[in-house]
């Protein structure tokens, strides 16, 4: 059973930084599950939003609200999300995701359990 384990969430003041990490385990060798990985987030009473994604060629895409502040990197089955200049609007539960179609559709596939990021003003 493929598992995505996240770490690195927490609380920070506005303008601060946090780094999230996610490692995929138990991935069968014959699949392309970790070809694409990324992060989604969901704020309280908000809809799910794609934050960033990256593929095996290290091609990265970012949501409009985080461009220039967040950086996603990938090393095999592990990704990190460096978040700088955080604002209260970044407060959300952040989910690690694996699978290109999962990232494209924002549903299905493999999801982590979520890690809370709270930014205070």
């Amino acid at each position: 059973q493929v598992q995505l384990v996240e770490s690195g969430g927490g609380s920070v003041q506005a303008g601060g930084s946090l780094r999230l990490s996610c490692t995929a385990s138990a991935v069968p060798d014959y699949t392309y599950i970790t070809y694409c990985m990324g992060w989604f987030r969901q704020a309280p009473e908000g809809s799910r939003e794609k934050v960033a994604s990256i593929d095996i060629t290290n091609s990265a895409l970012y949501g409009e609200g985080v461009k220039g502040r967040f950086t996603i990197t990938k090393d095999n089955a592990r990704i990190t999300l460096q978040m700088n200049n955080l604002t209260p609007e970044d407060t959300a539960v952040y989910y690690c995701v694996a699978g290109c179609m999962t990232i494209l559709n924002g549903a299905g596939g493999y999801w982590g359990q979520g890690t809370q990021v709270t930014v205070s003003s």
Side-chain angles (χ1 to χ4, degrees), residues 21-94:
S21 296
C22 172
T23 300
S25 62
V27 179
D29 291 338
Y30 57 84
T31 68
Y32 298 96
I33 292 171
T34 57
Y35 188 98
C36 304
M37 297 181 71
W39 297 91
F40 281 71
R41 68 185 180 186
Q42 187 161 13
E45 302 180 1
S47 58
R48 189 177 291 172
E49 173 189 21
K50 185 166 71 176
V51 176
S53 64
I54 188 167
D55 67 22
I56 198 170
T57 68
N58 285 323
S59 176
L61 295 173
Y62 297 92
E64 284 299 321
V66 306
K67 283 182 180 179
R69 299 187 298 121
F70 290 13
T71 302
I72 187 170
T73 57
K74 187 177 188 298
D75 181 8
N76 293 321
R78 177 183 172 88
I79 59 171
T80 62
L81 184 69
Q82 178 66 42
M83 305 185 293
N84 297 328
N85 195 21
L86 286 160
T87 72
E89 288 69 33
D90 295 315
T91 295
V93 177
Y94 285 69

Side-chain angles (χ1 to χ4, degrees), residues 99-118:
C100 296
M101 293 306 297
T102 302
I103 291 171
L104 182 64
N105 298 325
Y110 299 95
W111 293 73
Q113 78 282 1
T115 185
Q116 177 70 45
V117 171
T118 302

